[in-house]
Amino acid sequence: MRFSSHLLFFSLLAIQGGLAFPSYGTLAGLSRAELDTVLPTLQRGVLEPPPGPLKDTRAKLVNDKSHPWKPAGKNDIRGPCPGLNTLASHGWLPRDGVATPAQIVNAVQEGFNMGNGLAIFVTYAAHLVDGNLVTNLLSIGGKTSKTGPNPPAPATVGGLNTHAVFEGDASTTRADFFFGDNHSFYETLFNQLTAFSNKFGAGFYNLSVAAEFRFQRIQDSIATNPQFGFSSPRYFTAYAESVFPVAFFIDGRDTSGQLDMKVARGFFQNSRFPDGFFRSGISTTSTVIGAGIDFIFSKHPIPPGGNNGAVNSYTPDPNSADLSQLCKLYTDFVNNTIRGLYPNAKGVLLAALNKNLDFFYSPLAGSDCPQVPAFV
Ligand code: HEM
Ligand SMILES: *[C@@H]1O[C@H](CO)[C@@H](O)[C@H](O)[C@H]1NC(C)=O
Ligand SMILES: *[C@@H]1O[C@H](CO)[C@@H](O)[C@H](O)[C@H]1NC(C)=O
Ligand SMILES: CC(=O)N[C@H]1CO[C@H](CO)[C@@H](O)[C@@H]1O
């Protein structure tokens, strides 16, 4: 809730100060009056359907001549996701860090061989909470920094840094929101990760290391962050993100499941593929990630929950989906998270919202999880 009051404050400042509302600024959480001011200034995007799967899912060179690494320029946005940061820094995504959801789906498929259903589900989840549904643009970061937009955009205009909906606590290499900066690469945490890789992976990151480090990050947040939140959807993304480096950051010609820590640093810190990098030769579906999550969870089972305003007060949340409840993850995300972010949607915004909810649901079509009815 803290986040939405900041959002209102900064967007009001932006509007009253005559700053243009950024095309990628999220409309989530705006009041009816704010929407009435902002919507007429926005250019409507084409809400094209999500791309289909790759035709050829073999491993291939992705650090190629047409996708060289370049450092982010001063107006280029980067955020909490090393996967998307890397795709932007190699030009698989627009280098400025602002993209349509379809561009993101294409890029994660082409650059990392993420499976179509998983790519759609994650991308549209992020777009629904952090993107601009009317312009059809999402930023992969969104927070002003020393290297951010000039003149500075409002500090909270959506993008993947927005706390508590998609971005969350107990990240692998990023500090919790409670401690201030929540998206920058954090050397101290990377050094801890390296120590765990030495101790449990003979110098490499693998699923055994992931299990120990996920547990360590949770214990650390419980002990130090009075506002530690670890309910769905963050509960799911935290576990999934512990598997992602094994699934995506290892060269596709190497099937050992062991990630070199120098390679890991390149992705996490520098948004950079190693020279000659081949993407994975496995189309990584939610089933593949689910198997990794089960492995990690089974070593140190922790229920979804959070601290109660004091450190060391972790309490399970009986209302949160757990890892076995994918349908509840989806339903609660739509009925609680999304509905709460757009209480005032009508007209163009309502239509765009429902269209994106259809896209988000599409990987679940044909499963035994029914679609939540359209918003009215
Ligand atoms: C499909 C679209 C994707 C979206 C919208 C997305 C979004 C995000 C967000 C918001 C976070 C921050 C969560 C947090 O720690 O608070 C994150 C973290 C992460 N993402 Fe992505 N991601 C996507 C795809 C990928 C891909 C393809 C990879 C790997 C190639 C990847 C790897 C990671 C990793 C390893 C983290 C954890 C970073 C850390 O905790 O230090 N993501 N992602
Ligand atoms: C991780 O590496 C360690 C050390 O080599 C090894 O004992 C363990 O089996 C590996 N785990 C996985 C899941 O590959
Ligand atoms: C979600 O909300 C809709 C509309 O209020 C309602 O019809 C539906 O039963 C809810 N679904 C669940 C599973 O709570
Ligand atoms: C408060 C806090 O932990 N902030 C850190 C976030 O990450 C940056 C970049 O590494 C650090 O400089 C901050 O100290």
Side-chain angles (χ1 to χ4, degrees), residues 158-177:
L160 291 182
N161 291 335
T162 310
H163 183 65
V165 272
F166 203 84
E167 187 280 328
D169 292 333
S171 302
T172 301
T173 69
R174 270 73 174 161
D176 285 5
F177 178 76

PDB file of all heavy atoms in Angstrom, residues 158-177:
ATOM      1  N   GLY A 158       5.994   2.848 -12.433  1.00  0.00           N
ATOM      2  CA  GLY A 158       5.799   1.477 -12.873  1.00  0.00           C
ATOM      3  C   GLY A 158       7.100   0.928 -13.406  1.00  0.00           C
ATOM      4  O   GLY A 158       8.179   1.382 -13.042  1.00  0.00           O
ATOM      5  N   GLY A 159       7.011  -0.051 -14.265  1.00  0.00           N
ATOM      6  CA  GLY A 159       8.220  -0.757 -14.659  1.00  0.00           C
ATOM      7  C   GLY A 159       8.488  -1.855 -13.646  1.00  0.00           C
ATOM      8  O   GLY A 159       7.886  -1.900 -12.571  1.00  0.00           O
ATOM      9  N   LEU A 160       9.443  -2.711 -13.960  1.00  0.00           N
ATOM     10  CA  LEU A 160       9.609  -3.921 -13.161  1.00  0.00           C
ATOM     11  C   LEU A 160      10.184  -3.676 -11.773  1.00  0.00           C
ATOM     12  O   LEU A 160      10.263  -4.601 -10.984  1.00  0.00           O
ATOM     13  CB  LEU A 160      10.473  -4.929 -13.920  1.00  0.00           C
ATOM     14  CG  LEU A 160       9.811  -5.527 -15.160  1.00  0.00           C
ATOM     15  CD1 LEU A 160      10.731  -6.552 -15.796  1.00  0.00           C
ATOM     16  CD2 LEU A 160       8.480  -6.159 -14.818  1.00  0.00           C
ATOM     17  N   ASN A 161      10.598  -2.437 -11.455  1.00  0.00           N
ATOM     18  CA  ASN A 161      11.085  -2.199 -10.096  1.00  0.00           C
ATOM     19  C   ASN A 161       9.970  -1.967  -9.088  1.00  0.00           C
ATOM     20  O   ASN A 161      10.221  -1.919  -7.892  1.00  0.00           O
ATOM     21  CB  ASN A 161      12.002  -0.976 -10.048  1.00  0.00           C
ATOM     22  CG  ASN A 161      13.311  -1.227 -10.764  1.00  0.00           C
ATOM     23  OD1 ASN A 161      13.743  -2.365 -10.887  1.00  0.00           O
ATOM     24  ND2 ASN A 161      13.925  -0.171 -11.246  1.00  0.00           N
ATOM     25  N   THR A 162       8.738  -1.779  -9.560  1.00  0.00           N
ATOM     26  CA  THR A 162       7.646  -1.494  -8.632  1.00  0.00           C
ATOM     27  C   THR A 162       7.542  -2.610  -7.603  1.00  0.00           C
ATOM     28  O   THR A 162       7.392  -3.772  -7.954  1.00  0.00           O
ATOM     29  CB  THR A 162       6.328  -1.355  -9.404  1.00  0.00           C
ATOM     30  OG1 THR A 162       6.529  -0.452 -10.476  1.00  0.00           O
ATOM     31  CG2 THR A 162       5.237  -0.828  -8.498  1.00  0.00           C
ATOM     32  N   HIS A 163       7.614  -2.242  -6.333  1.00  0.00           N
ATOM     33  CA  HIS A 163       7.700  -3.262  -5.285  1.00  0.00           C
ATOM     34  C   HIS A 163       6.346  -3.891  -4.970  1.00  0.00           C
ATOM     35  O   HIS A 163       5.315  -3.275  -5.098  1.00  0.00           O
ATOM     36  CB  HIS A 163       8.253  -2.642  -4.001  1.00  0.00           C
ATOM     37  CG  HIS A 163       8.434  -3.653  -2.907  1.00  0.00           C
ATOM     38  ND1 HIS A 163       9.339  -4.699  -3.005  1.00  0.00           N
ATOM     39  CD2 HIS A 163       7.816  -3.814  -1.724  1.00  0.00           C
ATOM     40  CE1 HIS A 163       9.272  -5.427  -1.908  1.00  0.00           C
ATOM     41  NE2 HIS A 163       8.357  -4.917  -1.114  1.00  0.00           N
ATOM     42  N   ALA A 164       6.415  -5.132  -4.513  1.00  0.00           N
ATOM     43  CA  ALA A 164       5.324  -5.818  -3.824  1.00  0.00           C
ATOM     44  C   ALA A 164       4.282  -6.437  -4.737  1.00  0.00           C
ATOM     45  O   ALA A 164       3.346  -7.031  -4.248  1.00  0.00           O
ATOM     46  CB  ALA A 164       4.627  -4.915  -2.804  1.00  0.00           C
ATOM     47  N   VAL A 165       4.393  -6.261  -6.038  1.00  0.00           N
ATOM     48  CA  VAL A 165       3.467  -7.000  -6.880  1.00  0.00           C
ATOM     49  C   VAL A 165       4.216  -8.056  -7.689  1.00  0.00           C
ATOM     50  O   VAL A 165       3.894  -9.226  -7.644  1.00  0.00           O
ATOM     51  CB  VAL A 165       2.619  -6.077  -7.769  1.00  0.00           C
ATOM     52  CG1 VAL A 165       1.369  -5.646  -7.032  1.00  0.00           C
ATOM     53  CG2 VAL A 165       3.368  -4.848  -8.202  1.00  0.00           C
ATOM     54  N   PHE A 166       5.264  -7.650  -8.354  1.00  0.00           N
ATOM     55  CA  PHE A 166       6.033  -8.629  -9.138  1.00  0.00           C
ATOM     56  C   PHE A 166       7.450  -8.703  -8.590  1.00  0.00           C
ATOM     57  O   PHE A 166       7.922  -9.752  -8.193  1.00  0.00           O
ATOM     58  CB  PHE A 166       6.022  -8.235 -10.618  1.00  0.00           C
ATOM     59  CG  PHE A 166       6.288  -9.392 -11.520  1.00  0.00           C
ATOM     60  CD1 PHE A 166       5.252 -10.235 -11.890  1.00  0.00           C
ATOM     61  CD2 PHE A 166       7.562  -9.654 -11.967  1.00  0.00           C
ATOM     62  CE1 PHE A 166       5.503 -11.324 -12.710  1.00  0.00           C
ATOM     63  CE2 PHE A 166       7.819 -10.736 -12.791  1.00  0.00           C
ATOM     64  CZ  PHE A 166       6.782 -11.572 -13.162  1.00  0.00           C
ATOM     65  N   GLU A 167       8.127  -7.561  -8.542  1.00  0.00           N
ATOM     66  CA  GLU A 167       9.409  -7.472  -7.844  1.00  0.00           C
ATOM     67  C   GLU A 167       9.144  -7.792  -6.377  1.00  0.00           C
ATOM     68  O   GLU A 167       8.074  -7.493  -5.860  1.00  0.00           O
ATOM     69  CB  GLU A 167       9.970  -6.050  -8.011  1.00  0.00           C
ATOM     70  CG  GLU A 167      11.381  -5.818  -7.485  1.00  0.00           C
ATOM     71  CD  GLU A 167      11.473  -5.608  -5.996  1.00  0.00           C
ATOM     72  OE1 GLU A 167      10.545  -5.056  -5.405  1.00  0.00           O
ATOM     73  OE2 GLU A 167      12.473  -6.038  -5.410  1.00  0.00           O
ATOM     74  N   GLY A 168      10.094  -8.404  -5.676  1.00  0.00           N
ATOM     75  CA  GLY A 168       9.819  -8.738  -4.287  1.00  0.00           C
ATOM     76  C   GLY A 168      11.065  -8.965  -3.454  1.00  0.00           C
ATOM     77  O   GLY A 168      12.187  -8.721  -3.905  1.00  0.00           O
ATOM     78  N   ASP A 169      10.846  -9.443  -2.235  1.00  0.00           N
ATOM     79  CA  ASP A 169      11.925  -9.591  -1.254  1.00  0.00           C
ATOM     80  C   ASP A 169      12.680 -10.914  -1.433  1.00  0.00           C
ATOM     81  O   ASP A 169      12.258 -11.802  -2.147  1.00  0.00           O
ATOM     82  CB  ASP A 169      11.339  -9.522   0.157  1.00  0.00           C
ATOM     83  CG  ASP A 169      10.795  -8.136   0.496  1.00  0.00           C
ATOM     84  OD1 ASP A 169      11.292  -7.154  -0.088  1.00  0.00           O
ATOM     85  OD2 ASP A 169       9.876  -8.042   1.321  1.00  0.00           O
ATOM     86  N   ALA A 170      13.786 -11.014  -0.701  1.00  0.00           N
ATOM     87  CA  ALA A 170      14.617 -12.225  -0.659  1.00  0.00           C
ATOM     88  C   ALA A 170      15.138 -12.607  -2.042  1.00  0.00           C
ATOM     89  O   ALA A 170      15.203 -13.772  -2.410  1.00  0.00           O
ATOM     90  CB  ALA A 170      13.857 -13.397  -0.017  1.00  0.00           C
ATOM     91  N   SER A 171      15.512 -11.598  -2.833  1.00  0.00           N
ATOM     92  CA  SER A 171      16.082 -11.855  -4.154  1.00  0.00           C
ATOM     93  C   SER A 171      17.482 -12.444  -4.023  1.00  0.00           C
ATOM     94  O   SER A 171      18.115 -12.337  -2.964  1.00  0.00           O
ATOM     95  CB  SER A 171      16.179 -10.546  -4.945  1.00  0.00           C
ATOM     96  OG  SER A 171      14.906  -9.960  -5.065  1.00  0.00           O
ATOM     97  N   THR A 172      17.949 -13.018  -5.135  1.00  0.00           N
ATOM     98  CA  THR A 172      19.263 -13.660  -5.114  1.00  0.00           C
ATOM     99  C   THR A 172      20.381 -12.633  -4.965  1.00  0.00           C
ATOM    100  O   THR A 172      21.243 -12.767  -4.089  1.00  0.00           O
ATOM    101  CB  THR A 172      19.454 -14.495  -6.390  1.00  0.00           C
ATOM    102  OG1 THR A 172      18.404 -15.465  -6.447  1.00  0.00           O
ATOM    103  CG2 THR A 172      20.803 -15.208  -6.383  1.00  0.00           C
ATOM    104  N   THR A 173      20.382 -11.608  -5.803  1.00  0.00           N
ATOM    105  CA  THR A 173      21.493 -10.642  -5.765  1.00  0.00           C
ATOM    106  C   THR A 173      21.030  -9.203  -5.583  1.00  0.00           C
ATOM    107  O   THR A 173      21.784  -8.269  -5.818  1.00  0.00           O
ATOM    108  CB  THR A 173      22.355 -10.702  -7.051  1.00  0.00           C
ATOM    109  OG1 THR A 173      21.586 -10.203  -8.153  1.00  0.00           O
ATOM    110  CG2 THR A 173      22.816 -12.110  -7.360  1.00  0.00           C
ATOM    111  N   ARG A 174      19.765  -9.004  -5.179  1.00  0.00           N
ATOM    112  CA  ARG A 174      19.263  -7.649  -4.964  1.00  0.00           C
ATOM    113  C   ARG A 174      18.731  -7.542  -3.533  1.00  0.00           C
ATOM    114  O   ARG A 174      18.091  -8.477  -3.038  1.00  0.00           O
ATOM    115  CB  ARG A 174      18.112  -7.342  -5.932  1.00  0.00           C
ATOM    116  CG  ARG A 174      18.514  -6.722  -7.277  1.00  0.00           C
ATOM    117  CD  ARG A 174      19.184  -7.680  -8.249  1.00  0.00           C
ATOM    118  NE  ARG A 174      19.418  -7.054  -9.559  1.00  0.00           N
ATOM    119  CZ  ARG A 174      20.277  -7.498 -10.464  1.00  0.00           C
ATOM    120  NH1 ARG A 174      21.033  -8.543 -10.236  1.00  0.00           N
ATOM    121  NH2 ARG A 174      20.415  -6.883 -11.619  1.00  0.00           N
ATOM    122  N   ALA A 175      18.957  -6.383  -2.891  1.00  0.00           N
ATOM    123  CA  ALA A 175      18.515  -6.195  -1.504  1.00  0.00           C
ATOM    124  C   ALA A 175      16.991  -6.013  -1.436  1.00  0.00           C
ATOM    125  O   ALA A 175      16.353  -5.650  -2.423  1.00  0.00           O
ATOM    126  CB  ALA A 175      19.208  -4.973  -0.903  1.00  0.00           C
ATOM    127  N   ASP A 176      16.412  -6.255  -0.258  1.00  0.00           N
ATOM    128  CA  ASP A 176      14.971  -6.049  -0.066  1.00  0.00           C
ATOM    129  C   ASP A 176      14.611  -4.573  -0.172  1.00  0.00           C
ATOM    130  O   ASP A 176      15.386  -3.694   0.209  1.00  0.00           O
ATOM    131  CB  ASP A 176      14.532  -6.550   1.327  1.00  0.00           C
ATOM    132  CG  ASP A 176      14.463  -8.068   1.403  1.00  0.00           C
ATOM    133  OD1 ASP A 176      14.846  -8.740   0.426  1.00  0.00           O
ATOM    134  OD2 ASP A 176      14.012  -8.571   2.449  1.00  0.00           O
ATOM    135  N   PHE A 177      13.408  -4.309  -0.639  1.00  0.00           N
ATOM    136  CA  PHE A 177      12.863  -2.965  -0.771  1.00  0.00           C
ATOM    137  C   PHE A 177      12.974  -2.180   0.542  1.00  0.00           C
ATOM    138  O   PHE A 177      13.286  -0.997   0.552  1.00  0.00           O
ATOM    139  CB  PHE A 177      11.390  -3.087  -1.186  1.00  0.00           C
ATOM    140  CG  PHE A 177      10.664  -1.787  -1.318  1.00  0.00           C
ATOM    141  CD1 PHE A 177      10.876  -0.971  -2.419  1.00  0.00           C
ATOM    142  CD2 PHE A 177       9.741  -1.375  -0.364  1.00  0.00           C
ATOM    143  CE1 PHE A 177      10.188   0.227  -2.561  1.00  0.00           C
ATOM    144  CE2 PHE A 177       9.057  -0.179  -0.500  1.00  0.00           C
ATOM    145  CZ  PHE A 177       9.286   0.619  -1.595  1.00  0.00           C
TER     146      PHE A 177
END
